[in-house]
Amino acid sequence: MNWHILRNSLPPLIVQASLDIGSAILMAATLGFIGPGAQQTSAEWGGDGGEWSQLCARSMVVLRISGAAILLTAVGFNLFGDGIRDPLDPKAGGKQS
């Protein structure tokens, strides 16, 4: 009985974890951008964007590159979670539709 519970509950947990990674990246970058994120000595995308916005107020290219990297990473994890959901879905029998 434990095997059946584990077999049916593990795939949704894996998918939810991959979707939560994208959300965590966005939250950490937001906190780093507005200030209460990680310490200044640690590298962080949001912290870099906050520093660059002060240093390069006229050049938005650096901010756009940092924002694009954050966006692509978060969307990549979300697409991975969405793509892995279909083969792991016990109701679909492991078949992609």
Side-chain angles (χ1 to χ4, degrees), residues 5-76:
I5 294 171
L6 182 65
R7 185 180 67 188
N8 288 320
S9 64
L10 196 57
L13 290 175
I14 292 171
V15 171
Q16 187 63 41
S18 69
L19 294 175
D20 286 342
I21 291 172
S23 298
I25 289 171
L26 291 174
M27 284 187 276
T30 301
L31 286 174
F33 186 77
I34 61 174
Q39 300 296 325
Q40 293 293 337
T41 57
S42 63
E44 183 181 24
W45 278 337
D48 293 342
E51 291 172 9
W52 291 337
S53 67
Q54 294 171 359
L55 296 174
C56 305
R58 300 190 120 193
S59 176
M60 297 299 288
V61 174
V62 177
L63 284 174
R64 289 182 181 155
I65 291 172
S66 178
I70 294 167
L71 176 74
L72 288 175
T73 304
V75 168

